Amino acid sequence: MAIIRAESLRALCIGQTLTESVPGRGNGAILFERVPSGLITATYRYSDLGKRKKFRIGIYREKNRDDGLTLNEIRERVIQLAKTAKTHGDLSQYYEGIKRKQELLILEEKRAQELLAARGTISDLFEDYLNDRLDKAESIDEMKRIYKKLLENNPEILNIYAAEAEPWHIKQLITPIYNRGAKIMAERTRRFISAAFNYGIKSENYIGRPCSKSYNISSNPAVAITIDRVERKIKRALSEEELSKLWHTLELTDRVGPIITMLIKFIIATGGQRVTPIINSEWPSYDLENKIAHLHHSKGRGGATNKRDHPVPLNVYATEIMNEMYRINGGMKRPWTTRNNSTPISLSSLKNAINRWLQSEHAFIGDKRIEPFTARDLRRTCTQLMAKYGIDDRSSDEIQAHGIGGIVNDHYRNNPMMTLPRRKKTMVQWQEILERVILV
């Protein structure tokens, strides 16, 4: 087979072919063919394991302005193909394999870029955790406040990838809080961070998780942090005289409004109920006709996903307070609010009201200022007064929703409404105790 010239190729009619051998023994040949479209195609024809095979090279460029390959470019290309065929055999399979590898590399690179873009920072992790806890944690406002402060004071740390967080990063977040003397807040912050990282470790296996961020956290860096603090045993309880003074003078205190005053009185009147269930409850929870507050608790195993009913009979004091609250906030979504959108009174507002009273001229017994206390201490005060005046521990625990978890209560004593007669009796006794204490 002679060497083909350009003139010979241009003379080809549709369906005609020309063949040119590739230099070297057994290297095959180039097949030129004029196809119906008028173009001349070039195909490499070779032998692999005794079988004749073809591999398309491309289009022969007849004119300079046309697309395709020149005759010399086709020959050079075929020489390389012949070498490849001797080494790798079937050219179609060989180049298809290369193509698949290239496509796989492109996909892997794309996936790597997507993973990099989806990598979550510590800030992303905290926000993801808070969004997951919106309907589950009663302390969500406190968590949000902690996160906001961390972001304000340490943006450079919160912007690193969560997977790269180490104990020393967490230490940097917490140490300034500890150094200003807020040891309890430092521990709360550590617990928040630890809970968020625990969530991040597990969350990526949750089906249906709305967040697309990937954390790839291998271990919780907050677990290694220990905060040295002196545990303060909480023993504060108000004396009868202190409780009476608070009841009668709280509303006289500057910057303590009537709603917050009645909230504190309601806590006392109902035997020291937990604050959060009270302020979160909407009006339908307060049955003023039957004089029952249907509160709900998420203490104990199961948390907020397993809220438990806690009916509280309303005695005379509590009923009078709720009737007054209905007069003030009857048109709101819930009684315990000072905002147009009916959001609950914040725990900080309750704390501020007590502190303002403690700093006022009313917080004195004789010439001695009353020692500080918190809303939690009011609950303890009620417990101790019940014990002092003869209410047995079981009745006291029942009215304050102590021990509401456990197998027996969950599976056998799981209808609190059946205990209403006993609870009403307890509240009558508590009413008599309050009359004795407050009216002295």
Side-chain angles (χ1 to χ4, degrees), residues 31 34 43 129-131 253 275 339 377:
L31 177 65
R34 177 82 70 177
T43 303
Y129 174 65
L130 288 172
N131 287 332
T253 306
V275 178
R339 299 176 181 269
D377 297 326

Side-chain angles (χ1 to χ4, degrees), residues 61-313:
R61 187 170 71 201
E62 294 186 69
K63 299 176 182 179
N64 290 335
R65 64 176 179 270
D66 293 341
D67 294 328
L69 302 171
T70 66
L71 191 54
N72 286 335
E73 288 172 339
I74 291 173
R75 288 167 178 156
E76 291 173 2
R77 173 70 171 143
V78 169
I79 290 172
Q80 295 300 321
L81 288 174
K83 293 178 181 179
T84 303
K86 282 189 175 182
T87 305
H88 300 285
D90 191 307
L91 290 173
S92 296
Q93 290 183 6
Y94 172 70
Y95 284 108
E96 184 63 30
I98 292 178
K99 181 181 178 182
R100 284 198 299 269
K101 287 180 181 179
Q102 290 174 338
E103 289 175 346
L104 183 60
L105 287 174
I106 292 172
L107 287 174
E108 289 177 348
E109 178 64 24
K110 182 180 179 182
R111 176 59 179 162
Q113 292 176 354
E114 289 175 348
L115 288 174
L116 185 62
R119 290 183 72 187
T121 63
I122 296 177
S123 181
D124 292 327
L125 174 63
F126 288 171
E127 290 183 5
D128 195 5
Y129 174 65
L130 288 172
N131 287 332
D132 180 72
R133 302 301 297 172
L134 279 177
D135 299 327
K136 302 175 184 177
E138 293 182 347
S139 56
I140 189 67
D141 289 338
E142 177 69 4
M143 291 182 186
K144 287 181 178 179
R145 192 186 68 79
I146 290 173
Y147 167 57
K148 182 180 178 181
K149 287 294 183 182
L150 291 176
L151 188 58
E152 288 177 355
N153 298 328
N154 308 274
E156 69 288 348
I157 294 179
L158 265 66
N159 283 328
I160 70 172
Y161 293 124
E164 298 174 0
E166 297 183 13
W168 70 270
H169 290 120
I170 311 305
K171 190 175 180 180
Q172 278 191 285
L173 293 175
I174 297 175
T175 299
I177 304 172
Y178 181 89
N179 287 344
R180 71 169 188 259
K183 296 181 179 181
I184 293 177
M185 179 53 66
E187 174 60 19
R188 286 180 185 170
T189 303
R190 189 201 68 80
R191 289 177 183 174
F192 166 72
I193 295 171
S194 181
F197 272 91
N198 282 337
Y199 168 80
I201 292 172
K202 298 177 182 179
S203 67
E204 288 177 85
N205 295 318
Y206 291 170
I207 296 175
R209 182 172 70 101
C211 181
S212 61
K213 292 296 182 181
S214 176
Y215 300 113
N216 296 318
I217 303 169
S218 58
S219 62
N220 188 336
V223 171
I225 305 299
T226 301
I227 296 176
D228 178 28
R229 64 187 181 93
V230 178
E231 292 287 346
R232 180 175 65 91
K233 292 186 177 180
I234 304 174
K235 296 182 178 180
R236 176 75 166 107
L238 279 69
S239 67
E240 295 180 24
E241 195 172 3
E242 288 173 336
L243 187 64
S244 177
K245 196 71 180 291
L246 174 67
W247 184 280
H248 291 293
T249 63
L250 181 59
E251 59 188 328
L252 304 177
T253 306
D254 186 39
R255 296 172 63 201
V256 177
I259 295 177
I260 202 75
T261 295
M262 284 186 281
L263 173 60
I264 292 173
K265 287 187 175 182
F266 187 76
I267 294 169
I268 298 169
T270 53
Q273 299 302 313
R274 293 185 178 94
V275 178
T276 301
I278 290 177
I279 61 177
N280 284 339
S281 295
E282 299 176 4
W283 272 115
S285 297
Y286 293 92
D287 184 352
L288 301 187
E289 182 178 352
N290 294 305
K291 300 179 181 179
I292 301 172
H294 296 277
L295 305 182
H296 300 277
H297 287 279
S298 56
K299 299 288 284 186
R301 183 175 296 178
T305 60
N306 187 23
K307 288 190 176 182
R308 299 173 175 91
D309 295 333
H310 175 53
V312 179

